[in-house]
Amino acid sequence: MAKDEPSQTVTELNACVSTGHRPSAKETTFREWVVENQIGISLTILSMLLAIHHLYPSLRPYTTPFFQLSYYQPSQGVYIQGWDDIYFVLSSAIAFTAIRAIAIDWILRPLALHAGLKRKASVRFAEQGWMWLYYAFFCTFGMYIWSHSYYWMDFSAIWNEWPGRGVSGMLKWYLLAQLAFWIQQIFVINVEERRKDHYQMFTHHIITSALLSSAYIYSFYNVSNVVLCLMDIVDLLLPTAKILKYFKYELACNITFGTFMVTWLITRHIMYPRLCWSIFKDVPARMSYGCYSGTTAEMISTDGYPDRLTHLFYPFLDLDGPICMNRTIKWIFLSLLLALQVLSLIWFTMVIRVAVGVLRTGNAEDTRSDDEDEVETSKDGAIGNAPISDNTNIEWRRSNGSSTVRPRTRGRVRLGEQSDRKALLGRIGCDKPT
C-alpha cells in the first residue's frame, strides 16, 4: 500500500487542480486560426512565389503569370484571354486578403482609436474605411476607362466590336482585379464568423463572380465595365455616409445619404434598365446571330445553334475555338442582369423607408450606440482581422434622446415587424456592386 501513496497523492492534487475556478482555454479552430493569421498567410504565399520567381529563372514561365498580365499581342498592342489569367486572379485575391487585413488592423482601426472612437465603433469604421478605399479607387479607375472609350454614354456602341478578343491592358487589369476582389469576398465570408445573411451573400458573390468571369470569356469587356461603374458609384457613397456618422457629422451624413439615394435611383433604376434594354434591342442588330472564329473574330457560320447545348461552353472549352451568339445566350446574360435589377428594387424600397425616417426627424442615428462597447462580451468583438458581429450595419432612426442601451443579437439584419422603422443599410448596395 505504501507504493500506492505517491500516485494517490498526485491523483488528489490533479483533482484539486481540475476542480479549480481557472477558466479553461478555448481551443482555436482552423477557421479562427486562418482569420487571425490572414496577413501572415497571404504575405507568406506571395513571398514564396516571388522568391521562386527570382531565385529560379528556369521557372519564370510558370511564375510570371502570377505577377503580370499574360497574352500580350505586340503587333496589335492589345491583350487577349488565356488560361494563365487564372493565376493572376488567384494572386490578386491573395493580395486583396493581405491588403484588407493590413488596412483594417494596422491603419484604419488605430486611426479610429486615436481619433477617439470606442472599440466597436473603431471596428465598424475600419471595415467601412476599407470599403471606401476600394470603391474610391476602382470607381474612379472604371469611370476613367469608360469616359475615354468609344462607348461613353452610348449603350448601343458597346456591342460594335464583338467578338473581338483584343482588350487594352488597363481594361484587362481592371476586370481581372474586380473578379479577384469578389473571389476574395467569397473567402472572407466563409472564414469569418457566419452572419445571418451568410447564404444570401454567398449566393450573391458566386453569381457576381460567375457573371464577371463568363462575360470576360465571352469578350463582353465593355458591358462589364459599364455595369461595374453604375454599381460602384453607389457603393462608394454608402460607406462615406457611414464614416461621417461614426464621427458624428450629422448634417454631412444626411446630405451624403440624400446624394446616395439620388445616385442610386439614376444609376441603378434609370441607366441600368437602359443598358438592359440595349441588350434586348441592340444586340440582335449589332451582333449577327451565328458562330465566329475565336482567333479572327470572323463569322464562320450563320447557324447560331450548331448543337443543342455544347456551343454554350465553346469559349470555356477552347479559347481559340468558335464563339456563338444566339437568342439563348442573349437571354441567359440578360436574365441574370434583370435578376440583379429585381434585387436592387427590393433594396431601394428599404432605402426609401430610411429616407422617410430621415425626413421626419432630420437626424440619423446609429442605434448601436458607443455605450454598447462597454457591455458587449469579448466573443462579440473581433477575431484577428475579422469582426464577428455585423459591424457594417447602419440604422437610421428617430433620435428620442434616450440613453438606454438595447440588447442586440450580434447586429444581424431583421426584416420582420421592425422593418418599417429599422432599415439596416449594411447590406444594401454596399456588398452588391454588380
Side-chain angles (χ1 to χ4, degrees), residues 217-237:
I217 292 175
Y218 263 88
S219 301
F220 294 146
Y221 312 121
N222 300 335
V223 68
S224 297
N225 175 215
V226 175
V227 170
L228 288 169
C229 286
L230 294 178
M231 297 296 178
D232 286 354
I233 183 63
V234 174
D235 299 326
L236 174 62
L237 290 172

Side-chain angles (χ1 to χ4, degrees), residues 250-261:
E250 300 291 347
L251 179 59
C253 176
N254 291 337
I255 293 174
T256 305
F257 177 64
T259 305
F260 158 78
M261 278 196 61

Side-chain angles (χ1 to χ4, degrees), residues 285-355:
R286 302 296 180 98
M287 298 179 177
S288 299
Y289 289 158
C291 293
Y292 298 78
S293 169
T295 54
T296 65
E298 296 179 355
M299 179 176 284
I300 57 178
S301 173
T302 57
D303 182 10
Y305 296 91
D307 48 57
R308 301 186 65 178
L309 291 176
T310 308
H311 68 277
L312 298 176
F313 305 97
Y314 281 172
F316 298 90
L317 300 175
D318 184 5
L319 294 176
D320 294 326
I323 179 172
C324 300
M325 173 56 64
N326 52 49
R327 291 182 180 84
T328 301
I329 294 174
K330 182 190 78 171
W331 276 106
I332 288 175
F333 282 98
L334 183 57
S335 298
L336 292 173
L337 292 173
L338 289 175
L340 292 177
Q341 176 64 191
V342 171
L343 290 174
S344 291
L345 287 170
I346 295 173
W347 300 327
F348 193 60
T349 301
M350 298 175 66
V351 173
I352 292 175
R353 292 175 180 172
V354 173

Side-chain angles (χ1 to χ4, degrees), residues 93-145:
I94 296 172
F96 272 125
T97 301
I99 295 170
R100 174 182 180 268
I102 291 172
I104 289 177
D105 281 359
W106 294 0
I107 302 175
L108 295 173
R109 192 173 182 191
L111 179 65
L113 292 172
H114 180 74
L117 295 183
K118 295 185 179 180
R119 182 179 59 84
K120 289 292 286 187
S122 69
V123 174
R124 297 197 295 270
F125 166 80
E127 289 184 336
Q128 294 307 307
W130 159 247
M131 299 304 294
W132 189 93
L133 290 173
Y134 173 82
Y135 285 116
F137 176 81
F138 277 93
C139 179
T140 303
F141 192 38
M143 290 297 295
Y144 175 83
I145 295 174

Side-chain angles (χ1 to χ4, degrees), residues 23-307:
S24 58
K26 180 182 177 182
E27 184 178 355
T28 301
T29 65
F30 177 75
R31 179 191 58 78
E32 292 173 340
W33 177 83
V34 171
V35 171
E36 292 174 354
N37 295 276
Q38 290 183 70
I39 298 176
I41 295 173
S42 302
L43 294 182
T44 298
I45 295 174
L46 295 176
S47 299
M48 290 177 61
L49 288 173
L50 280 171
I52 295 173
H53 180 76
H54 289 288
L55 296 177
Y56 300 95
S58 61
L59 297 179
R60 287 181 183 176
Y62 303 100
T63 57
T64 298
F66 285 99
F67 304 107
Q68 67 183 43
L69 299 177
S70 304
Y71 304 110
Y72 181 65
Q73 308 295 306
S75 60
Q76 304 174 5
V78 297
Y79 289 85
I80 60 173
Q81 309 151 314
W83 292 113
D84 284 352
D85 293 337
I86 296 176
Y87 303 116
F88 183 82
V89 172
L90 291 177
S91 64
S92 298
I94 296 172
F96 272 125
T97 301
I99 295 170
R100 174 182 180 268
I102 291 172
I104 289 177
D105 281 359
W106 294 0
I107 302 175
L108 295 173
R109 192 173 182 191
L111 179 65
L113 292 172
H114 180 74
L117 295 183
K118 295 185 179 180
R119 182 179 59 84
K120 289 292 286 187
S122 69
V123 174
R124 297 197 295 270
F125 166 80
E127 289 184 336
Q128 294 307 307
W130 159 247
M131 299 304 294
W132 189 93
L133 290 173
Y134 173 82
Y135 285 116
F137 176 81
F138 277 93
C139 179
T140 303
F141 192 38
M143 290 297 295
Y144 175 83
I145 295 174
W146 185 17
S147 63
H148 287 75
S149 68
Y150 65 87
Y151 52 89
W152 170 247
M153 291 299 174
D154 184 3
F155 292 155
S156 61
I158 291 176
W159 322 105
N160 286 348
E161 296 184 359
W162 190 88
R165 295 181 61 197
V167 61
S168 67
M170 282 196 306
L171 183 55
K172 179 170 182 173
W173 184 90
Y174 169 78
L175 295 175
L176 293 182
Q178 288 267 39
L179 175 58
F181 172 79
W182 288 107
I183 292 177
Q184 185 264 345
Q185 287 295 295
I186 295 175
F187 165 78
V188 167
I189 67 171
N190 280 284
V191 299
E192 293 183 357
E193 186 75 10
R194 290 194 175 186
R195 298 166 181 174
K196 189 173 182 179
D197 58 353
H198 169 80
Y199 291 105
Q200 174 190 355
M201 298 309 301
F202 179 72
T203 302
H204 167 267
H205 297 343
I206 290 293
I207 293 175
T208 301
S209 301
L211 274 172
L212 286 175
S213 58
S214 299
Y216 179 77
I217 292 175
Y218 263 88
S219 301
F220 294 146
Y221 312 121
N222 300 335
V223 68
S224 297
N225 175 215
V226 175
V227 170
L228 288 169
C229 286
L230 294 178
M231 297 296 178
D232 286 354
I233 183 63
V234 174
D235 299 326
L236 174 62
L237 290 172
L238 184 57
T240 303
K242 292 182 179 183
I243 291 171
L244 291 171
K245 180 60 188 178
Y246 297 149
F247 286 101
K248 303 186 184 304
Y249 295 110
E250 300 291 347
L251 179 59
C253 176
N254 291 337
I255 293 174
T256 305
F257 177 64
T259 305
F260 158 78
M261 278 196 61
V262 174
T263 305
W264 183 308
L265 177 64
I266 294 174
T267 57
R268 297 194 176 186
H269 300 305
I270 295 179
M271 299 184 69
Y272 185 87
R274 284 185 55 204
L275 177 63
C276 293
W277 173 253
S278 175
I279 296 175
F280 174 78
K281 180 182 178 182
D282 296 329
V283 164
R286 302 296 180 98
M287 298 179 177
S288 299
Y289 289 158
C291 293
Y292 298 78
S293 169
T295 54
T296 65
E298 296 179 355
M299 179 176 284
I300 57 178
S301 173
T302 57
D303 182 10
Y305 296 91
D307 48 57

